[in-house]
Amino acid sequence: MLLQLNIQNFAIVRSLDIDWQQGMTTITGETGAGKSIAIDALGLCLGDRAITNVVRPNCKKAELAATFDTSGNKLAKKWLKKHDMLLDNECILRRIISAEGRSKAYINGSQVPLAQLKEIGQLLINIHGQHDHQLIVKSHEQRNILDAYASHQHLLDAVKYYYHQWRELSQEAKLLQESKLQREAKQQLLQYQVDELNEFSLQPEEFESLEVDYQRQSNGQHILSQTLIAVQQLSEDEQFNVVDGLRHSSEQIASLGNYDPALKAIAEQLNEALIQVEDASQEIKHYYESLELDPQAYSLIEERYSTAVLLAKKHQVAPNALADFHQQLLQELALFSSDETRLVQINDDIDAAKQKYQEAAQALSESRSKAAVKLSKLISKSMAELNMPHGKFHIDIYQDKQQSLSVNGNDSVSYLASLNPGQALEAMNKVASGGELSRISLAMQVILADKIITPTLIFDEVDVGISGPTAAMVGKKLQQLAKNTQVICVTHLPQVASKGHQQLFVAKLTDGEHTETTVTELSNDGRVQEIARLLAGDKITENSLANAQELLAG
């Protein structure tokens, strides 16, 4: 609920601090005194766009701050926590507007964009202006009111879920269909490439092995001659070979070790070298003897190796990456097949989602129809109480079978009314005046009071155009509404003003050079005087005072 409003240098206000109470607060004052100035200031705290003339003349800036108690407002606390602005059970919205029109906004001391003020403001307070009743003639607003009364959010959520599912699937199908020709052209190219590589069928790591075989076969004669020379030099040359030379040196150094022990270690190294050279010589000899040069095998190897190199060049990949590239193309081709399968399957999915949507929409429609009957009776009864004795109200729900799917279901909702005996039910804006629409709107607010999310409701002269018994009933309805939520009402009607638990009086003072608006909380005696003024005008009489006391006591 709203706790306090602080206004500095705003319009013709120099400085105001207003404390607000629970229940119903009425704001009255003389014509032109600026009864709505507090509401305008609140609107700016809630994110309304500012204009330069809101700043008091000869002042640099206007400062506005509204303090709210959020202890019972779970949605507001959740929003503040999400944005890291939670401050116990208090929320302070602050706005600073310069004379040049620049503006800064704050939530609990943190500077924020104006959009965030609007977001949190919608969870804290709801302002109804003189012309807001015009909203109830709009079809979408009529549907929203009916849904709020029915309390079937789970049905709305189900319809919304299946609608979005159907829409996403339809969009996917559209994209698949639009790209079908492009896919077919790409698929033909892929298929040609895959067929070519399938025919060659190069296996993973085969090219590396193929390259080794190719190099060995193509250099076979050179390898044979060089390995034979190596065997001769290492061990088989009768005049001199490395093995005999190492053996002789090893024996000589070993014999010298008897004279100097240091030479024994060298002799061991020479002996190890001898063993390694003998082993290497045997390996080379074995390699030489086992090497086979097969011209026919070489021809096959050369052909496959050359083909692999040419295919790699054709596909612009390295030869050793050709097998991986082949697998990549196979996967891409499989995806194209998957797209075609998806295109066939998706129509079934769309039909299934549409069926689910229709089932959810039908459940929503049935719930709306039941709620419409109850709400129509309640509003008809309330219209009679608000001086429309012959008033009848009916909520018409109909479905257009040709209409495409909607996130709100299949229903069109229309509010119909009749105000005179024998008059046919017609759209409200055709049969009801602005004042009558305002009363019907108020009746809806009272009926929906336990559904209201925002803990504070403000009515800015919504009682324009009514008087007498009707005004008294409007006052009672507002007071009834205040049992569930904080109600603030700007009014000129004594019957409404008297129903407030708190009454504020707005006055405009001037010294001939400067003008200033003040707001005062009235005492019991002050309320009697103000109600009497509203009843009788400037000349307050004993009768008007007595009537005022009677209204306040009622």
Side-chain angles (χ1 to χ4, degrees):
M1 61 171 280
L2 178 63
L3 297 177
Q4 189 177 56
L5 179 65
N6 177 266
I7 306 173
Q8 302 291 328
N9 300 321
F10 175 66
I12 56 174
V13 173
R14 183 175 59 82
S15 179
L16 274 181
D17 281 301
I18 307 173
D19 293 320
W20 307 85
Q21 297 179 9
Q22 265 187 318
M24 179 174 170
T25 297
T26 56
I27 303 174
T28 61
E30 297 177 354
T31 302
K35 292 190 293 295
S36 296
I37 204 157
I39 312 304
D40 295 338
L42 263 176
L44 288 171
C45 288
L46 299 171
D48 286 352
R49 190 168 296 280
I51 51 178
T52 53
N53 62 4
V54 302
V55 180
R56 182 175 167 84
N58 302 317
C59 294
K60 294 182 179 180
K61 62 183 178 180
E63 294 191 44
L64 313 162
T67 303
F68 296 86
D69 175 14
T70 60
S71 56
N73 193 332
K74 293 181 180 179
L75 291 177
K77 293 185 81 168
K78 182 179 179 182
W79 189 96
L80 290 167
K81 186 176 182 180
K82 176 184 175 182
H83 293 84
D84 199 25
M85 298 179 194
L86 187 61
L87 186 66
D88 295 327
N89 291 319
E90 197 171 70
C91 178
I92 302 173
L93 308 185
R94 185 164 165 254
R95 190 86 178 270
I96 299 176
I97 304 163
S98 71
E100 294 80 21
R102 291 189 298 274
S103 169
K104 292 181 180 179
Y106 300 86
I107 299 175
N108 283 345
S110 299
Q111 188 168 351
V112 297
L114 207 57
Q116 287 197 339
L117 271 190
K118 290 184 177 181
E119 286 179 22
I120 187 64
Q122 291 173 357
L123 303 176
L124 296 169
I125 202 164
N126 197 344
I127 299 177
H128 297 268
Q130 292 183 39
H131 306 292
D132 281 3
H133 61 267
Q134 295 172 1
L135 284 174
I136 66 170
V137 303
K138 299 184 182 298
S139 180
H140 70 275
E141 185 65 19
Q142 293 176 354
R143 185 189 62 240
N144 290 342
I145 292 170
L146 177 60
D147 287 338
Y149 175 74
S151 296
H152 49 210
Q153 187 61 46
H154 62 292
L155 297 178
L156 290 167
D157 290 342
V159 168
K160 186 181 295 185
Y161 173 81
Y162 290 118
Y163 168 79
H164 286 304
Q165 189 181 69
W166 168 82
R167 188 175 179 182
E168 287 170 7
L169 287 167
S170 299
Q171 186 66 24
E172 183 185 351
K174 182 181 177 183
L175 292 174
L176 284 171
Q177 193 62 45
E178 287 176 350
S179 61
K180 187 175 182 180
L181 291 176
Q182 293 178 348
R183 288 202 315 277
E184 287 175 350
K186 181 72 182 294
Q187 188 175 13
Q188 287 178 358
L189 174 61
L190 273 175
Q191 190 65 60
Y192 168 76
Q193 292 174 314
V194 166
D195 289 345
E196 185 177 46
L197 292 174
N198 281 345
E199 185 180 353
F200 185 60
S201 190
L202 185 71
Q203 301 303 305
E205 300 182 3
E206 181 188 350
F207 181 80
E208 289 83 349
S209 175
L210 195 62
E211 188 172 31
V212 170
D213 291 343
Y214 174 75
Q215 293 295 339
R216 182 173 60 247
Q217 291 287 341
S218 62
N219 295 282
Q221 291 298 331
H222 181 62
I223 294 171
L224 278 173
S225 64
Q226 292 300 311
T227 52
L228 179 59
I229 292 171
V231 169
Q232 292 290 327
Q233 290 175 340
L234 288 171
S235 62
E236 294 189 358
D237 192 313
E238 294 180 357
Q239 293 182 358
F240 175 80
N241 60 70
V242 174
V243 169
D244 289 344
L246 276 173
R247 184 180 291 110
H248 179 69
S249 297
S250 175
E251 290 171 353
Q252 279 187 324
I253 299 299
S255 64
L256 294 175
N258 295 323
Y259 306 112
D260 186 351
L263 292 173
K264 289 183 179 181
I266 297 173
E268 289 177 4
Q269 286 180 322
L270 287 171
N271 190 52
E272 289 174 1
L274 173 62
I275 294 170
Q276 289 181 345
V277 171
E278 285 180 328
D279 288 344
S281 178
Q282 289 298 318
E283 289 287 339
I284 295 172
K285 185 176 181 179
H286 176 73
Y287 176 86
Y288 171 80
E289 290 174 347
S290 62
L291 183 62
E292 294 182 2
L293 298 180
D294 184 348
Q296 187 175 0
Y298 171 60
S299 177
L300 294 173
I301 291 169
E302 182 183 33
E303 181 182 358
R304 189 159 179 77
Y305 175 78
S306 300
T307 302
V309 172
L310 287 173
L311 281 174
K313 186 176 182 181
K314 180 178 180 179
H315 292 288
Q316 298 182 335
V317 295
N320 59 0
L322 188 61
D324 290 340
F325 178 70
H326 183 197
Q327 293 303 312
Q328 179 184 330
L329 292 185
L330 284 169
Q331 291 173 5
E332 287 185 34
L333 191 60
L335 287 176
F336 276 102
S337 299
S338 174
D339 282 347
E340 291 305 313
T341 303
R342 179 61 179 151
L343 194 54
V344 173
Q345 176 64 37
I346 199 169
N347 290 321
D348 293 337
D349 293 344
I350 290 171
D351 290 341
K354 189 173 183 179
Q355 179 62 31
K356 290 286 188 182
Y357 169 88
Q358 294 295 0
E359 291 171 3
Q362 183 60 33
L364 176 61
S365 184
E366 290 172 3
S367 179
R368 280 173 173 163
S369 296
K370 291 177 183 178
V373 173
K374 295 178 182 178
L375 185 56
S376 295
K377 290 179 180 177
L378 288 172
I379 293 175
S380 294
K381 180 182 177 182
S382 192
M383 286 170 67
E385 293 172 346
L386 289 168
N387 202 25
M388 291 179 274
H390 304 292
K392 292 181 181 179
F393 186 87
H394 176 73
I395 300 175
D396 188 26
I397 298 175
Y398 55 94
Q399 297 179 1
D400 183 358
K401 299 298 183 182
Q402 304 302 317
Q403 182 180 337
S404 61
L405 273 59
S406 162
V407 72
N408 297 303
N410 296 328
D411 305 316
S412 292
V413 177
S414 179
Y415 286 5
L416 307 177
S418 169
L419 301 178
N420 300 302
Q423 185 183 47
L425 288 164
E426 291 190 66
M428 288 192 304
N429 58 326
K430 291 185 178 180
V431 297
S433 65
E436 288 165 336
L437 282 175
S438 182
R439 279 178 274 164
I440 295 172
S441 177
L442 177 60
M444 292 177 185
Q445 289 291 334
V446 175
I447 292 167
L448 296 171
D450 60 339
K451 318 286 185 183
I452 292 171
I453 297 174
T454 50
T456 300
L457 287 173
I458 295 180
F459 295 92
D460 188 5
E461 297 198 18
V462 295
D463 51 14
V464 170
I466 60 174
S467 60
T470 305
M473 184 53 68
V474 167
K476 287 181 181 179
K477 290 289 184 184
L478 287 169
Q479 193 178 56
Q480 182 182 342
L481 189 58
K483 292 178 181 179
N484 297 301
T485 186
Q486 183 185 37
V487 173
I488 298 169
C489 182
V490 178
T491 183
H492 65 286
L493 296 175
Q495 297 92 334
V496 174
S498 63
K499 297 301 179 184
H501 303 99
Q502 174 190 34
Q503 186 172 344
L504 304 177
F505 177 71
V506 181
K508 184 166 65 174
L509 307 176
T510 180
D511 59 6
E513 293 183 6
H514 303 94
T515 302
E516 185 176 337
T517 289
T518 63
V519 178
T520 307
E521 183 175 356
L522 296 177
S523 64
N524 288 336
D525 291 341
R527 293 192 70 182
V528 172
Q529 290 290 324
E530 173 60 5
I531 299 298
R533 184 191 68 79
L534 292 173
L535 285 165
D538 293 336
K539 294 182 179 180
I540 298 175
T541 64
E542 291 296 326
N543 286 337
S544 62
L545 288 171
N547 288 339
Q549 289 174 335
E550 186 179 348
L551 283 174
L552 286 166

Coordinates of all heavy atoms in Angstrom, one line a residue, residues 433-479:
S433 N -24.4 6.2 -21.5 CA -23.7 7.4 -21.5 C -22.3 7.2 -20.7 O -22.1 6.2 -20.2 CB -24.5 8.5 -20.7 OG -24.6 8.1 -19.4
G434 N -21.5 8.3 -20.8 CA -20.2 8.2 -20.1 C -20.4 8.0 -18.6 O -19.7 7.1 -18.0
G435 N -21.4 8.6 -18.0 CA -21.6 8.4 -16.5 C -22.1 7.0 -16.2 O -21.7 6.4 -15.2
E436 N -22.9 6.5 -17.1 CA -23.4 5.1 -16.9 C -22.3 4.1 -17.1 O -22.2 3.1 -16.3 CB -24.6 4.9 -17.9 CG -25.9 5.6 -17.5 CD -26.9 5.7 -18.6 OE1 -26.5 5.5 -19.8 OE2 -28.1 5.9 -18.3
L437 N -21.5 4.3 -18.1 CA -20.3 3.5 -18.3 C -19.4 3.5 -17.1 O -18.8 2.5 -16.7 CB -19.6 3.8 -19.5 CG -20.2 3.4 -20.9 CD1 -19.3 4.0 -22.0 CD2 -20.2 1.9 -21.0
S438 N -19.3 4.7 -16.5 CA -18.4 4.8 -15.3 C -18.9 4.0 -14.2 O -18.2 3.4 -13.4 CB -18.3 6.3 -15.0 OG -17.4 6.5 -13.9
R439 N -20.3 4.0 -14.0 CA -20.9 3.3 -12.9 C -20.7 1.8 -13.1 O -20.5 1.0 -12.2 CB -22.3 3.7 -12.7 CG -22.5 5.0 -11.9 CD -24.0 5.4 -11.9 NE -24.4 6.1 -13.0 CZ -25.7 6.3 -13.4 NH1 -26.6 5.8 -12.7 NH2 -26.0 7.1 -14.4
I440 N -20.9 1.4 -14.4 CA -20.8 -0.1 -14.7 C -19.3 -0.5 -14.5 O -19.1 -1.6 -13.9 CB -21.2 -0.3 -16.2 CG1 -22.7 -0.1 -16.4 CG2 -20.9 -1.8 -16.6 CD1 -23.1 -0.1 -17.8
S441 N -18.4 0.4 -14.8 CA -17.0 0.1 -14.6 C -16.7 -0.1 -13.1 O -16.0 -1.0 -12.7 CB -16.1 1.2 -15.2 OG -14.7 1.0 -14.9
L442 N -17.3 0.8 -12.3 CA -17.1 0.8 -10.9 C -17.7 -0.5 -10.3 O -17.1 -1.2 -9.4 CB -17.7 2.0 -10.2 CG -17.7 2.0 -8.7 CD1 -16.2 2.0 -8.2 CD2 -18.4 3.3 -8.1
A443 N -18.9 -0.9 -10.8 CA -19.5 -2.2 -10.4 C -18.6 -3.3 -10.6 O -18.4 -4.2 -9.8 CB -20.8 -2.4 -11.1
M444 N -17.9 -3.3 -11.8 CA -17.0 -4.4 -12.1 C -15.8 -4.4 -11.1 O -15.3 -5.5 -10.7 CB -16.5 -4.3 -13.5 CG -17.5 -4.5 -14.6 SD -16.8 -4.2 -16.3 CE -18.3 -4.4 -17.3
Q445 N -15.3 -3.2 -10.8 CA -14.2 -3.1 -9.9 C -14.5 -3.7 -8.5 O -13.7 -4.5 -7.9 CB -13.7 -1.7 -9.7 CG -13.1 -1.0 -10.9 CD -11.7 -1.6 -11.2 OE1 -11.0 -2.1 -10.3 NE2 -11.3 -1.6 -12.4
V446 N -15.7 -3.5 -8.1 CA -16.1 -4.0 -6.8 C -16.3 -5.5 -6.8 O -15.8 -6.2 -5.9 CB -17.5 -3.3 -6.3 CG1 -17.9 -4.0 -5.0 CG2 -17.3 -1.8 -6.1
I447 N -16.9 -6.0 -7.9 CA -17.1 -7.4 -8.0 C -15.7 -8.2 -8.1 O -15.5 -9.3 -7.6 CB -17.9 -7.7 -9.3 CG1 -19.4 -7.2 -9.0 CG2 -18.0 -9.2 -9.6 CD1 -20.2 -7.2 -10.3
L448 N -14.8 -7.5 -8.8 CA -13.5 -8.1 -9.0 C -12.5 -7.8 -7.9 O -11.3 -8.1 -8.0 CB -12.9 -7.7 -10.3 CG -13.6 -8.1 -11.6 CD1 -13.0 -7.4 -12.8 CD2 -13.5 -9.6 -11.8
A449 N -13.0 -7.2 -6.8 CA -12.1 -6.7 -5.7 C -11.1 -7.8 -5.2 O -10.0 -7.5 -5.0 CB -12.9 -6.1 -4.6
D450 N -11.7 -9.0 -5.0 CA -10.8 -10.0 -4.4 C -9.8 -10.6 -5.5 O -9.0 -11.5 -5.2 CB -11.6 -11.2 -3.8 CG -12.6 -11.8 -4.9 OD1 -12.8 -11.2 -5.9 OD2 -13.0 -13.0 -4.6
K451 N -10.0 -10.2 -6.7 CA -9.1 -10.6 -7.8 C -8.0 -9.6 -8.0 O -7.1 -9.8 -8.8 CB -9.8 -10.8 -9.1 CG -11.1 -11.5 -9.0 CD -11.0 -13.0 -8.7 CE -12.4 -13.7 -8.7 NZ -12.3 -15.1 -8.3
I452 N -8.1 -8.4 -7.4 CA -7.2 -7.3 -7.7 C -5.8 -7.7 -7.2 O -5.6 -8.1 -6.1 CB -7.7 -6.0 -7.0 CG1 -9.0 -5.6 -7.7 CG2 -6.6 -4.9 -7.1 CD1 -9.7 -4.4 -7.0
I453 N -4.8 -7.5 -8.1 CA -3.4 -7.8 -7.8 C -2.8 -6.6 -7.1 O -2.1 -6.8 -6.1 CB -2.6 -8.2 -9.0 CG1 -3.2 -9.5 -9.6 CG2 -1.2 -8.4 -8.7 CD1 -2.6 -9.8 -11.0
T454 N -3.0 -5.4 -7.6 CA -2.3 -4.2 -7.1 C -3.0 -3.8 -5.8 O -4.3 -3.8 -5.7 CB -2.4 -3.0 -8.0 OG1 -3.8 -2.9 -8.5 CG2 -1.5 -3.3 -9.2
P455 N -2.3 -3.6 -4.7 CA -2.9 -3.3 -3.4 C -3.4 -1.9 -3.2 O -4.0 -1.6 -2.2 CB -1.7 -3.5 -2.4 CG -0.5 -3.2 -3.2 CD -0.8 -3.6 -4.6
T456 N -3.3 -1.0 -4.2 CA -3.8 0.4 -4.1 C -4.5 0.7 -5.4 O -4.0 0.5 -6.5 CB -2.6 1.4 -3.9 OG1 -2.0 1.0 -2.7 CG2 -3.2 2.8 -3.8
L457 N -5.7 1.2 -5.3 CA -6.5 1.7 -6.4 C -6.8 3.2 -6.3 O -7.2 3.6 -5.2 CB -7.8 0.9 -6.5 CG -7.8 -0.5 -7.0 CD1 -9.2 -1.1 -6.9 CD2 -7.4 -0.6 -8.5
I458 N -6.6 3.9 -7.3 CA -6.9 5.4 -7.3 C -7.9 5.7 -8.3 O -7.8 5.3 -9.5 CB -5.6 6.2 -7.6 CG1 -4.6 6.0 -6.4 CG2 -5.9 7.7 -7.7 CD1 -3.3 6.7 -6.6
F459 N -9.0 6.4 -7.9 CA -10.0 6.9 -8.8 C -10.0 8.4 -8.9 O -10.2 9.1 -7.9 CB -11.4 6.4 -8.3 CG -11.5 4.9 -8.3 CD1 -11.2 4.2 -7.1 CD2 -12.0 4.2 -9.4 CE1 -11.4 2.8 -7.1 CE2 -12.1 2.9 -9.4 CZ -11.8 2.1 -8.3
D460 N -9.7 8.9 -10.1 CA -9.5 10.3 -10.3 C -10.8 10.9 -10.9 O -11.0 10.9 -12.1 CB -8.3 10.6 -11.1 CG -8.0 12.1 -11.2 OD1 -8.7 12.9 -10.5 OD2 -7.1 12.4 -12.0
E461 N -11.8 11.3 -10.0 CA -13.0 11.9 -10.5 C -13.8 11.0 -11.4 O -14.3 11.4 -12.5 CB -12.8 13.3 -11.1 CG -12.2 14.3 -10.1 CD -12.4 15.7 -10.5 OE1 -13.2 16.0 -11.4 OE2 -11.7 16.6 -9.9
V462 N -13.9 9.7 -11.1 CA -14.6 8.8 -11.9 C -16.1 8.9 -11.7 O -17.0 8.3 -12.3 CB -14.2 7.3 -11.7 CG1 -12.8 7.0 -12.1 CG2 -14.5 6.9 -10.2
D463 N -16.5 9.8 -10.7 CA -17.9 9.9 -10.3 C -18.5 11.2 -11.0 O -19.6 11.7 -10.6 CB -18.1 10.0 -8.8 CG -17.1 11.1 -8.2 OD1 -16.5 11.9 -8.9 OD2 -16.9 11.1 -6.9
V464 N -17.8 11.7 -12.0 CA -18.4 12.9 -12.7 C -19.7 12.5 -13.4 O -19.8 11.4 -14.0 CB -17.3 13.3 -13.8 CG1 -18.0 14.4 -14.7 CG2 -16.1 13.9 -13.2
G465 N -20.7 13.4 -13.3 CA -21.9 13.2 -14.0 C -23.0 12.5 -13.2 O -24.0 12.1 -13.8
I466 N -22.7 12.2 -11.9 CA -23.8 11.6 -11.1 C -24.0 12.4 -9.9 O -23.3 13.3 -9.5 CB -23.3 10.1 -10.7 CG1 -22.0 10.2 -9.8 CG2 -23.1 9.2 -11.9 CD1 -21.6 8.8 -9.3
S467 N -25.2 12.2 -9.2 CA -25.5 12.9 -8.0 C -26.6 12.2 -7.3 O -27.0 11.1 -7.7 CB -26.1 14.3 -8.4 OG -27.2 14.2 -9.3
G468 N -27.0 12.7 -6.1 CA -28.1 12.2 -5.4 C -27.9 10.8 -4.9 O -26.8 10.4 -4.5
P469 N -29.0 9.9 -5.0 CA -28.9 8.5 -4.5 C -27.8 7.7 -5.2 O -27.2 6.9 -4.6 CB -30.3 8.0 -4.8 CG -31.2 9.2 -4.9 CD -30.3 10.3 -5.5
T470 N -27.6 8.1 -6.5 CA -26.6 7.3 -7.2 C -25.2 7.6 -6.6 O -24.4 6.7 -6.5 CB -26.6 7.7 -8.7 OG1 -27.9 7.5 -9.2 CG2 -25.6 6.9 -9.5
A471 N -25.0 8.9 -6.3 CA -23.7 9.2 -5.7 C -23.5 8.5 -4.4 O -22.4 8.1 -4.0 CB -23.6 10.7 -5.5
A472 N -24.6 8.4 -3.6 CA -24.5 7.7 -2.3 C -24.1 6.3 -2.5 O -23.3 5.7 -1.7 CB -25.8 7.8 -1.5
M473 N -24.7 5.6 -3.5 CA -24.4 4.2 -3.8 C -23.0 4.1 -4.3 O -22.3 3.1 -3.9 CB -25.4 3.7 -4.8 CG -25.2 2.2 -5.0 SD -25.2 1.2 -3.5 CE -26.9 1.3 -3.0
V474 N -22.5 5.0 -5.1 CA -21.1 5.0 -5.6 C -20.2 5.0 -4.4 O -19.2 4.3 -4.3 CB -20.8 6.1 -6.6 CG1 -19.3 6.2 -6.8 CG2 -21.5 5.8 -7.9
G475 N -20.5 5.9 -3.4 CA -19.7 6.0 -2.2 C -19.6 4.7 -1.4 O -18.6 4.3 -1.0
K476 N -20.8 4.0 -1.3 CA -20.9 2.8 -0.6 C -20.0 1.7 -1.3 O -19.4 0.9 -0.7 CB -22.3 2.3 -0.5 CG -23.1 3.1 0.5 CD -24.5 2.6 0.7 CE -25.3 3.4 1.6 NZ -26.8 2.9 1.8
K477 N -20.1 1.7 -2.7 CA -19.4 0.7 -3.5 C -17.9 0.9 -3.3 O -17.1 0.0 -3.2 CB -19.8 0.8 -5.0 CG -21.2 0.4 -5.3 CD -21.3 -1.1 -5.2 CE -22.7 -1.6 -5.6 NZ -22.8 -3.1 -5.5
L478 N -17.4 2.2 -3.3 CA -16.0 2.5 -3.1 C -15.6 2.0 -1.7 O -14.5 1.5 -1.5 CB -15.7 3.9 -3.4 CG -15.8 4.4 -4.8 CD1 -15.8 5.9 -4.9 CD2 -14.6 3.8 -5.6
Q479 N -16.4 2.3 -0.7 CA -16.1 1.9 0.6 C -16.0 0.4 0.8 O -15.2 -0.2 1.5 CB -17.2 2.5 1.6 CG -16.7 2.4 3.1 CD -17.8 3.0 4.0 OE1 -19.0 2.6 3.9 NE2 -17.4 4.0 4.8

